[in-house]
Amino acid sequence: MAGCRGSLCCCCRWCCCCGERETRTPEELTILGETQEEEDEILPRKDYESLDYDRCINDPYLEVLETMDNKVGLIFSSLGIKSVGLFVDFFVRLFTQLKFGVVQTSVEECSQKGCLALSLLELLGFNLTFVFLASLLVLIEPVAAGSGIPEVKCYLNGVKVPGIVRLRTLLCKVLGVLFSVAGGLFVGKEGPMIHSGSVVGAGLPQFQSISLRKIQFNFPYFRSDRDKRDFVSAGAAAGVAAAFGAPIGGTLFSLEEGSSFWNQGLTWKVLFCSMSATFTLNFFRSGIQFGSWGSFQLPGLLNFGEFKCSDSDKKCHLWTAMDLGFFVVMGVIGGLLGATFNCLNKRLAKYRMRNVHPKPKLVRVLESLLVSLVTTVVVFVASMVLGECRQMSSSSQIGNDSFQLQVTEDVNSSIKTFFCPNDTYNDMATLFFNPQESAILQLFHQDGTFSPVTLALFFVLYFLLACWTYGISVPSGLFVPSLLCGAAFGRLVANVLKSYIGLGHIYSGTFALIGAAAFLGGVVRMTISLTVILIESTNEITYGLPIMVTLMVAKWTGDFFNKGIYDIHVGLRGVPLLEWETEVEMDKLRANDIMEPNLTYVYPHTRIQSLVSILRTTVHHAFPVVTENRGNEKEFMKGNQLISNNIKFKKSSILTRAGEQRKRSQSMKSYPSSELRNMCDEHIASEEPAEKEDLLQQMLERRYTPYPNLYPDQSPSEDWTMEERFRPLTFHGLILRSQLVTLLVRGVCYSESQSSASQPRLSYAEMAEDYPRYPDIHDLDLTLLNPRMIVDVTPYMNPSPFTVSPNTHVSQVFNLFRTMGLRHLPVVNAVGEIVGIITRHNLTYEFLQARLRQHYQTI
């Protein structure tokens, strides 16, 4: 059966038919994380682990609490992201200029000699070589494929995606996107910049890398999932800021699209990191390209330029109130186009999962080369055959500042005149035979007209090829292709309104920008952050209202049909992502309906033999620290030292109202009233009550049947009754698997003949030294351990984790779990007994739906 299940997960997970596959209920499919074949739905997989964003406030943590500060780490992160942006921008520009320079010269010569096939072969040689190198880098590190935004979103949601923030991933991502863009694929470098910024933010503040094990720094801080999450949030925001020159938009992007958990203190730190990344990148790019250091002329990798009407056109306005109606319609069309794009891309992704991914890795490389081959041929043939010769505009100077002059020069220099006479240009070649950023500037700022037929053909070809490209095994972004495709759509609308309806006041650049926003919003379904990003990129605050209205309409329209592209790819990976909130009907369920009641627990003082057995026979990542409720504890207090320690710990940690009143009465001695002093004395005299008046003992004796004695070194028996297996357990805290293994590796224990105070103490740095790759229990040399030694876990456990009552509604459980970034949520009843535990997989939409169906069946 185990082998059959393995084959199902590997081969038949995405198949529509399997003759020997047994029929499973939706509940079983949800638990197994398999595919529900009737609806072709991919259910969350159980092999994804959660990250622990809740602080473990134990004794080692309290010792170093006052020395932690993350301002220095943010500065290093912003500088690192600036370096990545400079590297990618410089080499993409270098390779692209080299490729187009050679090909353009060849086309101009061969257009007269009749050897255009040779020019096509030269272009194919460049593109196929670059794409082949990009695919090889993805084979080295598969996580480097795609834009990386879905993976970053999963990480910030609390899901551990293996390898997402490793140094090797960063290198493959940066080099891969460089070759992908230079190879002529319809991809962008802005999306991978966000992933690269997240990797830099996660790794640089720790001054340590798994790939560079020999380089060690004595820097024990920021070595937890919570700290890394904050730096990943800052890195993602800085990546957006560096890509678009939009530090505020980057901060909002990290808040809206990425981070599930946020706090006020993180806001200004992320904004500071984004500002630093933007201006350091601006400083160096301006100096390198213009030679004027300190001029700050290039705010981001993608510059939209200044939108301004020509001085000679007095009727022109950037936009008017009447145009808002057209913008709303464009938003609806953009949402429909985005939904179509997402639907087609989802079908392509499922096809790849069934037919490409199970095959040898070389097939993925061949698929990337096929996409590159088709894209190159389409671009070349369309530019040579389908383009029209359009008249160049005589008025091209817009503005007087050096940056706008540079934008105007870029627009004019990127005009292609293939097969066109003097003073005319080939409009199709101008769009296809240029870097995507230059094509966007053409659509935004070119005063000359583009043929409606050319714009329509360009939009259809680009739409289909970009949809096919996103998802192949190369690093690829989606922002720039969506902007360019949408800009062509917007420019087409402007041409139709000008030429066929006679609206002469329309500014074509505004409609191109709105079209870009509509299509991008329909694909990614972002609103707030994308509005601010586009406003900052255009440096035109008056565009705020039309962009926001367009994006909202596009999102509402697209959401009617499907999810955003990033959410779709998250679902295709089977990641148990937690949405912002649950549905209202889920409140019919309570915590006890969704919790896991089968617990594996440890005692405050446990033998090494028991710990090793528990760790080797389970895959749980946290264990409740409990003591049993016994009716005959006093007998054990006289005998076994180990059980005596556990019972003493329970007695000392149970808080009663009488005990709290005794403690408070100590402070009443300073009162002048003799009545209060007498009451104090009475409480002090009764501090050691008689055995028959011991409230704890009375509570224990209320158990109508004595439970079997379970020693800490005794495993549960299969012959136990239900009452024996699910005996009441007083909850004291949680301890992680990584902490237990660390304690065993470092020999933290004491003998039964000694006091627990003789146990060695570990510092916070020693506990976090192996983060994030803690040793595995199966690699532990058992010959070095004495199985009869005892481990006191109380200094290292989390004594006060978040807990919920069994009667808590699911919406409250969900909000607490998601907002606080928890990994485990114990369910504790009214008398302090743990009755179950809730993890991320118990809160996924599919699991809750399955439990809700069970709930209806039992009514």
Side-chain angles (χ1 to χ4, degrees), residues 84-85 181 255 266 296 347 357 458 590 648 677 769 845:
V84 171
V181 176
L255 174 61
L266 186 62
F296 297 102
R347 292 182 176 273
H357 294 175
F458 175 80
R590 298 178 184 268
K648 285 180 179 178
R677 284 198 299 270
E769 182 177 350
Y845 174 79

Side-chain angles (χ1 to χ4, degrees), residues 173-293:
K173 193 82 172 185
V174 171
L175 295 175
V177 72
L178 188 157
F179 291 124
S180 297
V181 176
L185 293 177
F186 291 165
V187 299
K189 58 179 180 290
E190 283 69 21
M193 273 295 297
I194 299 172
H195 187 189
S196 301
S198 301
V199 180
V200 173
L204 199 58
Q206 298 183 31
F207 298 98
Q208 187 172 338
S209 172
I210 298 175
S211 304
L212 303 175
R213 296 180 183 274
K214 295 183 178 179
I215 302 178
Q216 297 287 339
F217 292 93
N218 186 18
F219 194 76
Y221 308 117
F222 314 137
R223 307 190 63 75
S224 68
D225 290 340
R226 184 188 182 96
D227 293 326
K228 184 179 285 190
R229 175 202 68 189
D230 293 346
F231 282 108
V232 169
S233 299
V240 176
F244 296 96
I248 301 176
T251 303
L252 293 176
F253 173 85
S254 183
L255 174 61
E256 177 187 12
E257 189 69 14
S259 299
S260 303
F261 326 108
W262 200 264
N263 60 72
Q264 185 178 9
L266 186 62
T267 305
W268 76 265
K269 297 174 184 176
V270 171
L271 180 60
F272 171 77
C273 184
S274 301
M275 284 286 187
S276 302
T278 301
F279 284 98
T280 51
L281 179 64
N282 194 344
F283 176 81
F284 283 97
R285 287 191 70 215
S286 301
I288 293 173
Q289 289 189 224
F290 297 152
S292 55
W293 296 91

Side-chain angles (χ1 to χ4, degrees), residues 486-549:
F489 157 67
R491 191 71 184 248
L492 174 62
V493 173
N495 283 10
V496 171
L497 294 177
K498 271 188 173 182
S499 304
Y500 298 98
I501 300 181
L503 299 179
H505 72 280
I506 286 179
Y507 181 59
S508 299
T510 298
F511 276 76
L513 176 65
I514 296 301
F519 187 78
L520 181 58
V523 172
V524 301
R525 311 290 163 79
M526 294 160 49
T527 52
I528 303 174
S529 58
L530 191 54
T531 300
V532 178
I533 288 172
L534 294 178
I535 292 174
E536 290 185 285
S537 299
T538 58
N539 198 25
E540 184 61 58
I541 190 63
T542 58
Y543 280 146
L545 178 61
I547 289 176
M548 182 179 65
V549 170

Side-chain angles (χ1 to χ4, degrees), residues 753-766:
S753 60
Q754 297 175 328
S755 169
S756 60
S758 62
Q759 175 176 276
R761 297 292 297 270
L762 294 184
S763 65
Y764 179 85
E766 292 173 323

Side-chain angles (χ1 to χ4, degrees), residues 322-368:
M322 185 178 66
D323 295 336
L324 277 177
F326 296 115
F327 296 159
V328 171
V329 175
M330 291 176 67
V332 173
I333 299 175
L336 294 174
L337 293 173
T340 305
F341 184 96
N342 294 352
C343 179
L344 294 176
N345 190 262
K346 181 179 180 180
R347 292 182 176 273
L348 283 171
K350 288 186 175 181
Y351 177 83
R352 291 187 178 105
M353 290 178 176
R354 296 189 185 101
N355 301 284
V356 178
H357 294 175
K359 296 180 180 179
K361 294 183 178 180
L362 181 62
V363 177
R364 304 185 188 185
V365 178
L366 294 178
E367 184 199 15
S368 302

Side-chain angles (χ1 to χ4, degrees), residues 603 626-652 654 691 694-701 703 706-711 728-730 732:
Y603 294 90
V626 302
T627 52
E628 294 186 27
N629 292 338
R630 304 176 182 272
N632 51 354
E633 289 184 349
K634 290 190 176 297
E635 298 180 7
F636 287 97
M637 292 285 288
K638 303 174 183 177
N640 191 295
Q641 177 67 25
L642 173 59
I643 297 191
S644 177
N645 284 341
N646 287 329
I647 295 175
K648 285 180 179 178
F649 174 78
K650 182 178 73 171
K651 286 179 174 289
S652 65
I654 289 182
E691 291 184 2
D694 192 329
L695 297 180
L696 174 61
Q697 188 66 26
Q698 293 177 13
M699 182 183 72
L700 293 175
E701 290 175 351
R703 309 295 180 192
Y707 290 92
N709 301 326
L710 177 64
Y711 288 84
L729 301 169
T730 301
H732 301 288

